[in-house]
């Protein structure tokens, strides 16, 4: 009998702690050997001339997420899995949705059923949309079940927390050993500015960017960090749009605080000008395709982001994949094609495009080393989210999740290649160099040359234990642990 179920031979392997040419031996879904000329395997993949990387870990994905109005994001776990595998991603962390007045227990039960229908391995963040006694009391039982990251919003009508609510969630996270991830924009400032823009008749998609300039993101980021310092609670700032915001994180890190930062491809390759695009058919509504929050900025902001990625201030690149089709009347146009910018749902799809864009714009264009690319898109998110060393690395004992790349392959991005339920990609027509030609999930070849073959329902839940990296620093103002005494 062959020693391995699968051998991947002859590739240049970026393990997550360096790059080396070797074979990979897989047994029962895990990596069991790295070496030269490994013994026989039941199945062999020839990776000569190719790169073998840990499967992508996308720690910020909105998939099949129900909204309070009863609608559900169009991307299901089934279609989202197909799309992720097509783009070399094998694990995601999604969001158990939250809204005011709904019990966490009901939402978790519903979302668990949805996620179990996919093929991706998945973990859950818990959205905490209100800091009532009832919600705060529910948090520990779900952290104990492995959902050890909470998501809070400092803006959006349905979900935003005021400072006291945010402090209460930080305290609950500190007591239970969870990470808090934060959407940082100033709610009142955006609301005030939006009302003024609409009153002035500035309603088109491009004014979305005007409603939330950098300063509202920078202020909220500063506040999110300061309040986390008060509680001594580790946080991750989501979707940082420019270096000016990242500087807030750098300053906090320099002071020794546990603050991490994430950005997304849309902030590296789109700008606010994309929201001013028009088309013959859709007029200025075309700009809705590129609308997300925070807003994409400008070319200088993009260059600044590459710099802070190289410096390590931001250490994760996620997709923030959000499911709103453009052409039907349930997505971006759910309030009509002449709706003002406030009524257009935010978000852009990107679970499949994330790795090809980052590889091409980063590695192929010489902005990132191969090891930096792997760290940003797989190893670092896995470590921060408590998934490593099972995910995010290629080492003996880790799950055999691999993305096998042809670094020379040139591809023009189209929505068909994304294999997603959402009917457009904001990256249509973009040329990339480097493409994932095979994806392996737990030792199974689930994608080859764009053909996805995994069994629906074969994805596994990834419970995540409280983890060293997110342990508080122990530095408390006056040595007084507010979280131990306040609710
Ligand atoms: N911003 C978010 O915070 N969530 C989903 C989409 C978006 O643009
Ligand atoms: Zn967000
Ligand atoms: Zn998001």
């Amino acid at each position: 009998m062959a020693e391995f179920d699968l051998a991947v031979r002859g590739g240049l392997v970026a393990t997550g702690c360096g790059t080396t040419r070797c074979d990979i031996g897989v047994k029962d879904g895990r990596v069991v050997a790295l070496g030269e000329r490994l013994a026989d395997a039941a199945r062999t993949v020839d990776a000569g001339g190719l790169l073998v990387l840990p499967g992508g870990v996308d720690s910020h994905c909105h998939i099949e997420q129900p909204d309070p109005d009863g609608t559900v994001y169009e991307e299901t776990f089934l279609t989202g899995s197909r799309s992720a595998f097509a783009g070399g991603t094998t694990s995601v962390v999604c969001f158990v949705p939250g809204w005011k007045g709904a019990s966490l227990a009901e939402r978790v039960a519903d979302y668990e059923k949805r996620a179990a229908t996919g093929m991706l391995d998945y973990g859950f963040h818990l959205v905490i949309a209100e800091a009532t006694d009832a919600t705060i009391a529910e948090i520990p039982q779900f952290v104990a079940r492995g959902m050890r990251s909470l998501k809070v919003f400092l803006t959006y009508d349905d979900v935003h927390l005021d400072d006291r609510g945010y402090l209460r969630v930080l305290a609950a996270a500190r007591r239970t050993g969870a990470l808090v991830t934060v959407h940082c924009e100033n709610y009142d400032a955006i609301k005030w500015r939006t009302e003024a823009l609409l009153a002035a008749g500035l309603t088109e998609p491009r004014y979305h960017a005007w409603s939330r300039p950098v300063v509202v993101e920078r202020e909220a980021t500063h506040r999110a960090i300061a309040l986390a310092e008060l509680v001594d609670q580790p946080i991750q700032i989501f979707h940082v749009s420019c270096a000016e915001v990242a500087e807030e994180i750098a300053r906090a890190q320099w002071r020794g605080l546990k603050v991490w930062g994430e950005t997304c491809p849309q902030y590296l390759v789109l700008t606010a000008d994309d929201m001013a695009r028009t088309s013959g058919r859709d007029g200025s509504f075309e700009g809705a395709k590129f609308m997300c929050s925070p807003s994409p900025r400008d070319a200088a902001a993009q260059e600044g982001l590459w710099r802070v990625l190289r410096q390590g201030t931001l250490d994760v690149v996620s997709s923030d994949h959000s499911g709103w089709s453009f052409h039907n009347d349930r997505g971006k146009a759910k309030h009509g094609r002449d709706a003002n910018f406030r009524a257009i749902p935010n978000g852009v799809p990107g679970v499949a495009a994330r790795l090809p864009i980052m590889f091409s714009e980063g590695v192929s264009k010489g902005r990132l080393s191969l090891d930096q690319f792997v760290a940003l898109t797989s190893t670092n998110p896995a470590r921060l989210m408590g998934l490593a060393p099972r995910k995010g690395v290629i080492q003996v004992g880790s799950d055999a999740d691999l993305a096998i790349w042809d670094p020379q392959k040139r591809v023009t991005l189209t929505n068909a290649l994304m294999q997603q339920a959402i009917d457009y990609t904001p990256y249509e027509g973009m040329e990339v160099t480097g493409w994932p030609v095979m994806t392996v999930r737990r030792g199974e070849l689930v994608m080859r040359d764009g053909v996805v073959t995994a069994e629906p329902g074969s994805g596994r839940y990834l419970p995540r234990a409280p983890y060293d990296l997110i342990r508080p620093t122990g530095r408390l103002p006056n040595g007084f642990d507010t979280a131990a005494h306040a609710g």
Side-chain angles (χ1 to χ4, degrees):
M1 199 169 119
E3 189 164 334
F4 305 112
D5 301 331
L6 173 72
V8 179
R9 298 187 191 278
L12 190 64
V13 181
T15 62
C17 55
T19 300
T20 179
R21 192 168 295 283
C22 67
D23 297 347
I24 301 170
V26 176
K27 184 94 188 155
D28 298 329
R30 293 185 311 132
V31 174
V32 292
L34 297 174
E36 292 171 3
R37 291 179 292 280
L38 290 183
D40 282 356
R43 181 167 196 185
T44 292
V45 166
D46 177 6
L50 302 175
L51 303 175
V52 184
L53 316 182
V57 176
D58 194 341
S59 55
H60 185 165
C61 274
H62 301 274
I63 295 181
E64 208 170 329
Q65 208 177 290
D67 264 350
D69 65 6
T71 58
V72 180
Y73 280 35
E74 229 173 316
E75 199 75 81
T76 64
F77 274 91
L78 202 57
T79 59
S81 298
R82 204 174 58 206
S83 186
F85 289 162
T89 287
T90 46
S91 308
V92 289
V93 189
C94 298
F95 297 83
V96 174
W99 53 83
K100 298 186 195 323
S103 104
L104 214 49
E106 275 168 31
R107 286 177 281 129
V108 169
D110 173 68
Y111 204 59
E112 277 174 331
K113 280 197 213 109
R114 295 176 186 279
T117 60
M119 295 98 90
L120 275 162
D121 288 354
Y122 57 92
F124 294 147
H125 305 288
L126 296 170
V127 174
I128 308 298
E130 58 183 350
T132 57
D133 289 348
T135 304
I136 296 289
E138 276 190 292
I139 291 173
Q141 61 181 297
F142 296 108
V143 175
R145 281 170 47 189
M147 300 166 211
R148 67 93 159 120
S149 43
L150 313 178
K151 165 81 188 280
V152 298
F153 294 85
L154 303 186
T155 191
Y156 289 136
D157 286 335
D158 289 338
V159 288
H160 96 281
L161 297 178
D162 62 14
D163 289 351
R164 187 166 182 280
Y166 173 54
L167 282 164
R168 292 197 81 198
V169 175
L170 290 169
R174 181 180 164 82
R175 291 192 294 266
T176 51
L179 177 72
V180 176
T181 64
V182 195
H183 178 121
C184 294
E185 291 184 292
N186 182 309
Y187 175 67
D188 285 311
I190 292 171
K191 206 167 168 181
W192 178 72
R193 207 165 146 91
T194 299
E195 282 159 7
L197 285 164
L198 297 182
L202 304 177
T203 61
E204 292 174 353
R206 67 193 173 111
Y207 296 109
H208 173 76
W210 289 31
S211 73
R212 47 189 75 230
V214 171
V215 61
V216 306
E217 185 186 353
R218 178 161 51 75
E219 183 280 332
T221 304
H222 179 84
R223 184 162 33 99
I225 292 170
L227 298 182
E229 180 175 356
L230 190 63
V231 181
D232 185 27
Q233 167 57 35
I235 59 173
Q236 184 190 25
I237 308 293
F238 268 169
H239 40 51
V240 171
S241 72
C242 59
E244 196 176 315
V245 171
E247 277 164 22
E248 297 292 336
I249 298 172
R251 262 196 293 280
Q253 291 170 344
W254 189 75
R255 292 203 306 280
L257 303 181
K258 291 204 173 184
V259 178
W260 292 269
E262 168 212 77
T263 190
C264 316
Q266 49 270 39
Y267 301 108
L268 292 157
V269 300
L270 300 179
T271 69
D273 287 347
D274 287 307
M275 281 182 278
R277 288 205 216 173
T278 57
S279 73
R281 199 190 109 172
D282 296 296
S284 65
F285 188 66
E286 179 76 10
K289 287 181 177 171
F290 311 93
M291 185 185 279
C292 55
S293 293
S295 166
R297 308 295 180 190
D298 59 17
Q302 294 174 347
E303 279 317 305
L305 279 179
W306 287 111
R307 178 169 52 79
V308 295
L309 285 173
R310 280 191 298 273
Q311 287 168 340
T313 306
L314 304 183
D315 63 354
V316 169
V317 178
S318 307
S319 68
D320 198 2
H321 179 82
S322 302
W324 305 106
S325 278
F326 180 76
H327 300 285
N328 66 27
D329 57 4
R330 301 186 305 279
K332 292 279 185 186
K334 71 174 167 182
H335 298 292
R337 279 169 194 270
D338 52 5
N340 70 58
F341 69 82
R342 184 167 55 180
I344 300 173
N346 284 201
V348 294
V351 70
R354 178 183 70 121
L355 294 179
I357 289 175
M358 291 307 296
F359 188 93
S360 184
E361 293 294 311
V363 183
S364 304
K365 292 196 175 168
R367 292 178 171 120
L368 299 175
S369 68
L370 181 63
D371 289 338
Q372 283 172 320
F373 166 79
V374 168
L376 290 166
T377 57
S378 183
T379 314
N380 292 348
R383 288 187 70 218
L384 185 60
M385 291 301 157
L387 295 170
R390 181 171 172 191
K391 304 292 187 187
V393 290
I394 301 174
Q395 67 181 44
V396 172
S398 63
D399 281 356
D401 290 349
L402 309 172
I404 303 179
W405 286 72
D406 179 345
Q408 311 297 345
K409 188 167 169 151
R410 295 172 70 98
V411 173
T412 303
L413 300 187
T414 63
N415 197 49
L417 285 175
M418 302 297 108
Q419 303 200 37
Q420 56 195 12
I422 299 152
D423 66 8
Y424 83 99
T425 170
Y427 311 112
E428 188 78 30
M430 185 175 170
E431 307 274 344
V432 295
T433 302
W435 192 254
V437 290
M438 285 177 260
T439 304
V440 175
R441 183 218 52 193
R442 284 183 270 109
E444 185 184 340
L445 190 59
V446 291
M447 186 280 286
R448 179 166 215 151
D449 294 328
V451 180
V452 174
T453 49
E455 191 62 33
S458 58
R460 288 199 189 144
Y461 172 60
L462 300 169
R464 299 173 292 127
Y467 191 65
D468 271 355
L469 208 57
I470 64 165
R471 208 156 273 160
T473 65
R475 290 179 3 192
L476 290 156
N478 313 109
F480 179 69
D481 183 0
T482 334
H485 299 274

